[in-house]
Amino acid sequence: MSATVTTPEGGSPEAPVTLVASDLDRTLIYSAAALQLTMPDDRAPRLLCVEVYDRAPLCYMTETAAALLGELARTTVFVPTTTRTREQYGRIHLPGPAPRYAICANGGHILVDGVSDPDWQQHVTGRISGECASLAEVRAHLQAASDPSWLLKERVAEDLFAYLVVDRAALPEGWVKELTAWADPKGWSVSLQGRKIYVVPKPLTKSAAMHEVARRTGATRTLAAGDSLLDADLLLAADRAWRPGHGELADCGWGAPNTEVLRERGVAAGEEILRRFLRAADTQGAGR
C-alpha cells in the first residue's frame, strides 16, 4: 500500500495511539427526522448544521457534541467511516481539525488528505471481482424484483454497490428477507436503513479499511461506533465499540462482548458516543 505511516505526526514509536473509527449518519450526525428530541422545546439542545444539500440544511449535531468531536480529533486519530460516496461525504463539514484519513463507500475508498488511495482501490476491486457476482447481475435482479408502486430510486455508489430508495410503508413484508436469501450465496449482503436498501459485496467492509488505516498510523488501540448492520463488522473488529439505542442493530437486538449498548437515542446518543470515545482514549493515555 502507498502512503504508509508508522506513527502519527508528532508521535513517537513508544507512544500509544488511539484510532477512532466512527460511522456518521445516525451515529454522530442526524437529519431533522432522525434527531428524536423527546424533551420540551425550551430544553432542546442547541444544534449545529454540519451538512447542507441543495441549498438547505440537512444534518446536525448538538453544539456539545461538536465541542467533544473537536477535542477527539485533536487527541486521537479520528477516522470518519461511512457508507456514503466520496461526493456525499464531501458535503459534510465536521467541527475540529480536518481528519487526515476518512473511509468512504463502506470501505471502498480510503481518503488520505481528501484523495482516494489508488492502491487500496485496486485491492478492494480485486477482492470483489474474485469473490462475488457482478454488480450488473445484482442490479438486473433488483430491477426485476422491485415494483414501481414502492420503488422510488435505484442507484449505484462508486461502481461498487447498489441501493434502492423505497416507500417503507408500501414495501412488501418479507421482500428484504427474500432479497437477502438471493444475494447471500452470490457474495453480497443486504441492509435496510431507513428508506434505503443497500446491497453490498461482502468483501467491501469498513473493518478492513479500519485495519489498514490502523496499520498506517501505528494505532495501538481501536475504538468504533455505528448503528446499522453495515457497521457490525466494524464494531466487532474494534477493541472497544458502542452502538446507540436506535437503528438497525438495536431493532434486531445485535450485541457483542466488546460492544456497549447505549440507552440514548437520536442526537443525544451522538453526544454520549463521543463522551465514551474520549474517556476510553484518556484511559489509554493514562497508561503511557
Side-chain angles (χ1 to χ4, degrees):
M1 298 294 168
S2 63
T4 300
V5 180
T6 55
T7 58
E9 292 185 18
S12 65
E14 297 80 16
V17 177
T18 298
L19 183 149
V20 176
S22 181
D23 177 49
L24 295 177
D25 292 280
R26 295 172 59 88
T27 299
L28 294 188
I29 68 174
Y30 292 81
S31 67
L35 290 173
Q36 296 193 42
L37 297 174
T38 58
M39 68 286 291
D41 290 349
D42 59 355
R43 295 179 57 195
R46 288 167 58 93
L47 299 174
L48 175 70
C49 179
V50 295
E51 180 184 13
V52 173
Y53 180 61
D54 198 20
R55 298 181 295 279
L58 183 60
C59 285
Y60 305 84
M61 61 195 322
T62 69
E63 289 187 348
T64 298
L68 293 169
L69 180 56
E71 182 180 354
L72 187 74
R74 288 187 289 271
T75 55
T76 69
V77 178
F78 172 64
V79 184
T81 305
T82 180
T83 305
R84 286 181 178 231
T85 65
R86 288 170 288 174
E87 180 182 1
Q88 291 166 339
Y89 170 70
R91 299 198 302 253
I92 301 172
H93 299 283
L94 296 171
R100 183 175 186 199
Y101 293 95
I103 295 168
C104 294
N106 210 63
H109 291 278
I110 294 176
L111 305 188
V112 184
D113 296 325
V115 178
S116 183
D117 183 89
D119 289 342
W120 181 252
Q121 290 181 50
Q122 184 177 6
H123 168 75
V124 168
T125 55
R127 283 201 62 193
I128 293 172
S129 62
E131 301 175 27
C132 306
S134 70
L135 177 61
E137 181 180 351
V138 170
R139 289 191 69 195
H141 179 82
L142 290 174
Q143 291 164 1
S146 59
D147 191 288
S149 65
W150 49 262
L151 177 64
L152 304 179
K153 298 177 184 176
E154 187 261 341
R155 294 288 185 267
V156 170
E158 303 271 15
D159 291 323
L160 290 170
F161 62 90
Y163 65 94
L164 307 178
V165 182
V166 302
D167 179 349
R168 282 290 296 270
L171 182 68
E173 184 178 357
W175 192 88
V176 173
K177 187 175 181 179
E178 292 174 4
L179 176 62
T180 301
W182 178 89
D184 183 70
K186 298 181 181 297
W188 290 71
S189 60
V190 176
S191 174
L192 175 62
Q193 301 180 43
R195 297 191 307 149
K196 293 182 179 178
I197 301 171
Y198 290 92
V199 189
V200 178
K202 292 180 181 179
L204 190 67
T205 64
K206 294 178 178 181
S207 59
M210 179 191 72
H211 282 312
E212 175 60 17
V213 177
R215 183 189 70 80
R216 296 184 186 197
T217 58
T220 53
R221 193 183 198 197
T222 54
L223 310 176
D227 72 293
S228 80
L229 284 175
L230 290 175
D231 296 315
D233 70 284
L234 176 69
L235 304 187
L236 288 169
D239 294 312
R240 290 188 66 185
W242 293 265
R243 74 159 174 83
H246 64 257
E248 198 177 19
L249 293 177
D251 291 344
C252 68
W254 185 93
N258 71 325
T259 301
E260 185 175 353
V261 176
L262 302 179
R263 294 189 305 270
E264 289 83 2
R265 300 169 58 88
V267 72
E271 277 190 20
E272 187 59 26
I273 287 168
L274 289 164
R275 291 190 185 97
R276 302 299 177 102
F277 281 153
L278 284 166
R279 289 174 195 162
D282 286 344
T283 300
Q284 167 105 338
R288 295 184 184 183

